[in-house]
């Protein structure tokens, strides 16, 4: 088969479409013939040499894909060859075939095409696990999403609205904020021109955000605590703004606030399987009737992954950028 390889870390040009050995499913695994994969910022970090895949994971980037089951390993039940699926991966999605633990498979949801389903596993599992399983967002509460026009942001808006929450977002352009509004965002903050702490307080009569989903890390830590409501929960899922920040514990105590920080890729298989099962139970039914939909900026041929990486690295997209495998074209 062919896959995107990284012979040497570097810029987008470091990605090379090359022939590699076919993977073979082991016990509890299935082989998926990939139709499409999606680009995530973790893939960019891996390409740059900053985020190695976990042990035993294919060396090719790609944290999610869609496709058809081509082979089933021993000990797997509930799936058949030919089933159309999407999958949460630890790596290997930029390839024509990938082996997936059966617990990380999801059926393609109703109303979503097979190619478009590649945009769903990473964002739905990240948002559901952090905003709902950990931070326990409830109807009537306010969720602040940083990077509202990103793949994770566009899904967080839709899921929060589906459960009856109010949503505030930050983004850097009017076009991106307009798209967030189309998805249901109630409070729109241009972070280049406005202070999100002030805008969220103003929109909530001084209360603040009950839950904050943060992809920035250190850069926003102090202001995120200021923006929290009493009993607020800050969920950190990224470090685009740095890894070391100063925390005013007194301010957090005054808010009776909580901070969680998680990553998805390196979790044990059983934890990933539990998250995937929860997503299938709680999120997948919301695609019926169009309550949720993938937001896809563009689709590019998988061998052209360098172009896709440049788009995402420049934040020149809204939603997800997909890579279409040759057999999915």
């Amino acid at each position: 088969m062919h896959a995107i390889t990284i012979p040497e870390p570097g810029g987008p040009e470091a990605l090379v479409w090359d022939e590699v050995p076919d993977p073979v499913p082991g016990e509890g695994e299935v082989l998926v013939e990939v139709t499409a994969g999606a680009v995530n910022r973790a893939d960019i970090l891996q390409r740059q040499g900053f985020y190695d895949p976990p042990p035993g994971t294919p060396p090719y980037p790609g944290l999610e894909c869609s496709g058809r089951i081509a082979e089933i390993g021993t000990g797997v039940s509930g799936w058949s060859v030919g089933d159309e699926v999407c999958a949460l991966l630890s790596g290997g999605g930029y390839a024509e075939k990938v082996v997936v633990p059966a617990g990380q498979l999801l059926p393609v949801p109703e109303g979503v095409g097979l190619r478009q389903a590649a945009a769903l596993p990473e964002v739905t599992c990240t948002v559901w696990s952090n905003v709902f399983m950990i931070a326990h967002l409830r109807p009537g509460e306010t969720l602040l999403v940083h990077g509202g026009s990103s793949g994770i942001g566009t899904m967080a808006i839709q899921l929060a609205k589906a459960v009856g929450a109010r949503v505030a977002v930050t983004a850097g352009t009017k076009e991106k904020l307009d798209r967030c509004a189309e998805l249901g965002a109630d409070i729109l903050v241009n972070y280049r021109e406005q202070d999100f702490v002030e805008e969220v307080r103003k929109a909530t009569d001084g209360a603040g955000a009950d839950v904050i989903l943060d992809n920035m890390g250190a850069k926003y830590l102090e202001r995120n605590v200021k923006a929290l409501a009493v009993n607020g929960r800050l969920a950190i899922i990224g470090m685009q703004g740095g890894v070391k920040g100063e925390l005013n514990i007194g301010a957090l105590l005054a808010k009776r606030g909580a901070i969680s920080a998680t990553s998805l890729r390196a979790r044990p298989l059983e934890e990933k399987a539990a998250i995937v099962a929860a997503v299938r139970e709680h999120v997948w039914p919301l695609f019926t009737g169009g309550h949720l939909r993938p937001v896809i900026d563009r689709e590019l041929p998988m061998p052209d992954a360098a172009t896709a990486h440049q788009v995402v690295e420049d934040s020149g997209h809204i939603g997800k950028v997909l890579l279409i495998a040759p057999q999915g074209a």
Side-chain angles (χ1 to χ4, degrees), residues 16-36:
V16 178
W17 182 247
D18 202 358
E19 191 167 355
V20 300
D22 283 6
V24 178
E27 184 175 1
E29 298 177 331
V30 304
L31 178 68
V32 173
E33 184 178 78
V34 175
T35 296

Side-chain angles (χ1 to χ4, degrees), residues 301-318:
M302 191 170 285
D304 197 15
T307 299
H309 269 225
Q310 193 65 64
V311 169
V312 173
E313 207 164 346
D314 293 342
S315 296
H317 65 297
I318 295 173

Side-chain angles (χ1 to χ4, degrees), residues 7 41 63 71-72 77 89 97 133 145 164 183 188 213-214 239 246 288 296 313 317 329:
R41 289 202 174 266
L63 300 182
E71 188 179 340
I72 295 178
S77 61
L89 309 171
K97 299 176 183 178
M133 296 175 72
V145 181
L183 293 170
L188 309 174
L213 185 62
D214 175 59
M239 302 176 291
E246 186 169 302
T288 304
I296 297 168
E313 207 164 346
H317 65 297

